[in-house]
Amino acid sequence: MGRQGRKPQGTGHVERLVGSESAKQRLTAILQTLRGELTVPEACARLGICEARFHALRSAWLQEALEALEPRRLGRPPQAVDVEEVLSRLQTLETENATLRQELAAAEVRRELAAALPHVVRDSKAAGKKGAPAQPAPERRPAR
């Protein structure tokens, strides 16, 4: 029984890559020498380079390929942080936090006073219409 699925494309993958034709020819020659389809002198003749240059190209390419396959940290790489911007934002947040803590303390005191002295707190029905500001009683002049 024969092999199922698509036929292996081998160096055909190189044609679909983005790059110059000379780079594609070099990569194809390197792959063919690795597969044993082409000897190094034949590849050098095809590319018009000496064997020393071919070995240097192949070693550099294999090293870069190996480095590209090294395991890396998952996720996005960390972004560069502007320290001045972070410190400015931190100062703003600390100021806002202090203000909110003061407002919370004042609200707690008002709540405790309302619980301890309920007769001082105005009843909403006694204030008149809902939402209408309470008006002070007009001043009376003493009679002569």
Side-chain angles (χ1 to χ4, degrees), residues 17-102:
L17 298 175
V18 177
S20 67
E21 283 303 314
S22 64
K24 289 180 182 181
Q25 288 174 350
R26 288 178 177 191
L27 180 56
T28 301
I30 291 171
L31 291 173
Q32 287 175 337
T33 59
L34 291 174
R35 289 186 63 194
E37 297 174 356
L38 195 63
T39 66
V40 171
E42 290 172 339
C44 291
R46 185 182 293 177
L47 297 175
I49 58 176
C50 68
E51 287 188 30
R53 177 68 178 140
F54 180 83
H55 288 295
L57 284 173
R58 184 173 60 185
S59 294
W61 178 73
L62 289 172
Q63 185 63 46
E64 289 177 22
L66 181 63
E67 289 171 6
L69 296 174
E70 286 292 334
R72 296 184 181 161
R73 291 181 57 198
L74 298 177
R76 293 181 181 163
Q79 300 292 321
V81 177
D82 181 16
V83 178
E84 293 298 322
E85 183 179 328
V86 171
L87 290 176
S88 171
R89 178 74 175 139
L90 178 64
Q91 182 63 36
T92 303
L93 291 174
E94 286 177 347
T95 303
E96 182 181 353
N97 189 13
T99 303
L100 290 174
R101 285 181 186 272
Q102 288 175 349

